[in-house]
């Protein structure tokens, strides 16, 4: 009964959104049906898209799995929803945005993925319909099978609103009358959240945990491309800019020492569940993801398809 009710409500909702209401139906009725993107698995490769608020956010949360996908020939696109033009202590504006765009491109190149930077101002992102449509278009153009994004619980408003915007794009990506300049997807992708440490109103719950021990160097290499962030802005904010080595090799070691954290106890439990006790307990570096309820809910077969490197 509960399911039937949910279906009825959903159908009604779809009808309302798809122009079933009598607003301008005559002109629309004579137009051909909007083109719909076909299921994107024709060549057997996955299309993964990840959204971060700033150029360097996706790298920290999903750089490891991105390297693993790329190594298997799957397509990955990282999208920074803002251009990062506020993230520096001595630089800013268009010059900083250009620098960060180049850093993001280089980071993507280092692991073999695409990196897109949208031109929204850093520190000013809001969950507007315009921004939502930017996200919807990105997901549709990429024909995404899996969408990754932050949860809307975070210290930074741009992070929170990126989470909210991606949530708001879930389901809407299949509605042809929304952002009608970009063909709608035929099915709602799977959406998952990046790991974070925030506890309220609820803590991150790792549904999937992936060992990235085999690609941790690639991930650090990717992060190393964001010079303005990892070696300048973030240490300046933390008050430890004087501890950053000048020499390129030494600062990369410093990056590993300060950024390559061990799995939390919740992530460790998820690793053990998936890899077994011996392998799961031996993992040194992991990335974890929580299933978002607003995307397609993946069963175990789908999870295995979406994370082909899991045992
Ligand atoms: Zn950020």
């Amino acid at each position: 009964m509960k399911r039937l009710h949910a279906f009825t409500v959903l159908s009604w909702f779809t009808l309302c959104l798809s122009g079933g209401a009598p607003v301008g139906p005559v002109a629309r009725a004579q137009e051909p049906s909007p083109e719909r993107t076909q299921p994107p698995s024709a060549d057997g490769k996955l299309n993964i898209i990840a959204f971060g608020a700033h150029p360097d956010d996706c790298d920290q949360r999903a750089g490891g799995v991105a390297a693993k996908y790329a190594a298997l020939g799957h397509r990955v696109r990282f999208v920074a929803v803002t251009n990062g033009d506020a993230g520096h202590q001595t630089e800013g504006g268009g010059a900083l945005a250009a620098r960060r765009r180049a850093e993001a491109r280089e980071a993507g190149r280092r692991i073999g993925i695409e990196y897109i930077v949208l031109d929204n101002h850093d520190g000013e992102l809001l969950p507007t319909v315009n921004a939502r449509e930017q996200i919807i278009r990105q997901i549709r153009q990429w024909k995404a099978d899996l969408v990754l994004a932050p949860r809307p619980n975070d210290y930074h408003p741009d992070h929170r609103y990126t989470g909210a915007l991606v949530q708001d794009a879930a389901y809407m990506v299949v509605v042809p009358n929304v952002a009608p300049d970009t063909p709608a997807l035929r099915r709602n992708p799977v959406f998952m959240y990046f790991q974070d440490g925030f506890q309220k109103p609820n803590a991150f719950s790792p549904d999937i945990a992936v060992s990235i021990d085999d690609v941790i160097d690639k991930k650090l290499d990717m992060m190393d491309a964001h010079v303005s962030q990892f070696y300048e802005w973030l240490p300046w904010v933390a008050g430890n800019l004087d501890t950053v080595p000048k020499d390129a090799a030494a600062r990369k070691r410093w990056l590993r020492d300060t950024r390559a954290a061990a799995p939390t106890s919740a992530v460790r439990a998820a690793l053990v569940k998936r890899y077994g006790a011996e392998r799961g307990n031996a993992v040194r570096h992991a990335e974890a993801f929580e299933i978002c309820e607003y995307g397609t809910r993946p069963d175990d077969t789908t999870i295995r398809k979406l994370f082909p490197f899991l045992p």
Side-chain angles (χ1 to χ4, degrees), residues 53-54 56-57 155-156 159:
H54 308 111
D56 76 318
D57 289 358
Y155 75 101
H156 196 301
H159 298 179

Side-chain angles (χ1 to χ4, degrees), residues 94-267:
L96 179 58
R99 184 181 180 199
R100 296 193 66 181
R101 193 179 296 275
E103 289 175 345
R105 198 177 303 127
E106 171 62 12
R109 191 197 63 77
R110 288 185 184 186
I111 66 162
I113 68 161
E114 259 195 49
Y115 211 133
I116 301 281
V117 178
L118 302 182
D119 210 14
N120 300 301
H121 286 303
D122 188 351
E124 298 182 5
L125 188 66
L126 288 171
T128 61
V129 171
N130 177 280
R132 185 197 299 168
E133 288 181 348
Q134 293 177 29
I135 307 287
I136 289 170
R137 290 189 186 101
Q138 285 290 327
I139 294 170
R140 286 176 176 174
Q141 286 163 358
W142 200 244
K143 300 178 184 174
D145 297 297
L146 174 63
V147 181
L148 303 174
R151 295 196 305 157
N153 312 349
D154 202 287
Y155 75 101
H156 196 301
D158 290 346
H159 298 179
R160 287 199 293 276
Y161 294 136
T162 296
L165 283 162
V166 176
Q167 280 186 348
D168 292 352
Y171 176 71
M172 289 301 182
V173 295
V174 306
V175 180
N177 272 341
V178 172
D181 56 359
T182 309
L185 294 181
R186 192 64 192 87
R187 61 181 180 192
N188 201 11
V190 173
F191 287 70
M192 291 193 188
Y193 300 115
F194 298 142
Q195 185 183 353
D196 64 66
F198 298 95
Q199 301 296 309
K200 295 175 182 176
N202 56 303
F204 171 81
S205 172
D207 292 309
I208 313 288
V210 179
S211 166
I212 58 160
D213 285 341
D214 55 332
V215 288
I216 186 66
D217 289 331
K218 280 189 181 176
K219 176 173 179 169
L220 289 166
D221 198 31
M222 181 179 212
M223 290 163 68
D224 172 74
H226 297 277
V227 172
S228 71
Q229 301 303 294
F230 292 108
Y231 303 131
E232 297 175 13
W233 167 241
L234 295 171
W236 183 84
V237 171
N240 61 7
L241 188 58
D242 57 335
T243 68
V244 181
K246 298 281 175 281
D247 169 67
R251 72 182 185 186
K252 218 163 168 179
R253 284 196 296 276
W254 174 88
L255 191 65
R256 173 187 285 271
D257 292 343
T258 56
R259 293 278 169 185
T264 62
S265 55
V267 171

